[in-house]
Amino acid sequence: MSEAGPETIPPEYRARLAELEGAIAGARDWATALAETVRRLRDAFGKYNWVGIYWVIRHQLVLVAWDGPEPTEHVRIPIGVGICGLAAETGDTVVVPDVSKDPRYLACFPYTRSEIVVPIKRDGRVLGEIDIDSNLLDPFGPEDQTFLEAVAALLAGKYPGD
Ligand code: SME
């Protein structure tokens, strides 16, 4: 990923980011911040079909908030397993443009074609991650990565600590 900052993303992404910044800063507690984030992200762009936030709890990723048409069976994922586990292990954003071509992908929904997973980090440590599934093939560009990494940074800043 380039060094592009949020100021380089398209206006509609900047607008959504500003709204999320206000909602996260103004959330009365951490649970509200998580719930607001998944709801607003799913509403932000039609290609964000399922949005979840996983948190690292005792070396596992635990689903702590989600918004989408249906629940996932993957409510706990070991670090290192699946695309989610890969992003948590490496601390880097993972974009899978076509999940049918990635053997690491853990299937959740039959209609998912692509996925992006963005770690939420503080001081280099992965606290959790944002996971977005899309029903479209290859819909995630650099602007999605930059936008979602900025949202992850907002959540890391809001997190009250263990
Ligand atoms: N597809 C993910 C699992 C989580 S579901 O998308 C909600 C993965 O491969 O880790």
Side-chain angles (χ1 to χ4, degrees), residues 104-115:
R104 301 166 301 185
Y105 171 69
L106 283 179
C108 283
F109 314 111
Y111 37 80
T112 296
R113 312 284 304 278
S114 55
E115 180 167 23

Side-chain angles (χ1 to χ4, degrees), residues 50-52 54 61 63 66 70-75 77-78 81-86 96 99 102 104-109 112 114-115 117 129 131-133:
W50 188 94
V51 179
Y54 287 89
L61 291 160
L63 187 64
W66 66 276
E70 56 179 304
T72 174
E73 66 183 275
H74 297 296
V75 293
I77 302 173
V81 173
I83 306 302
C84 288
L86 175 69
V96 180
V99 294
D102 196 321
R104 301 166 301 185
Y105 171 69
L106 283 179
C108 283
F109 314 111
T112 296
S114 55
E115 180 167 23
V117 184
E129 59 191 29
D131 174 25
I132 301 186
D133 285 22

Side-chain angles (χ1 to χ4, degrees), residues 7-56:
E7 67 281 359
T8 65
I9 61 180
E12 67 269 30
Y13 284 79
R14 266 209 308 282
R16 299 293 88 75
L17 185 58
E19 290 162 8
L20 274 155
E21 186 166 18
I24 291 170
R28 64 181 173 275
D29 54 30
W30 178 237
T32 307
L34 292 175
E36 280 289 311
T37 300
V38 293
R39 184 180 68 77
R40 285 169 181 270
L41 280 177
R42 183 154 181 258
D43 283 353
F45 300 105
K47 63 187 176 181
Y48 294 1
N49 295 105
W50 188 94
V51 179
I53 294 176
Y54 287 89
W55 213 249
V56 178

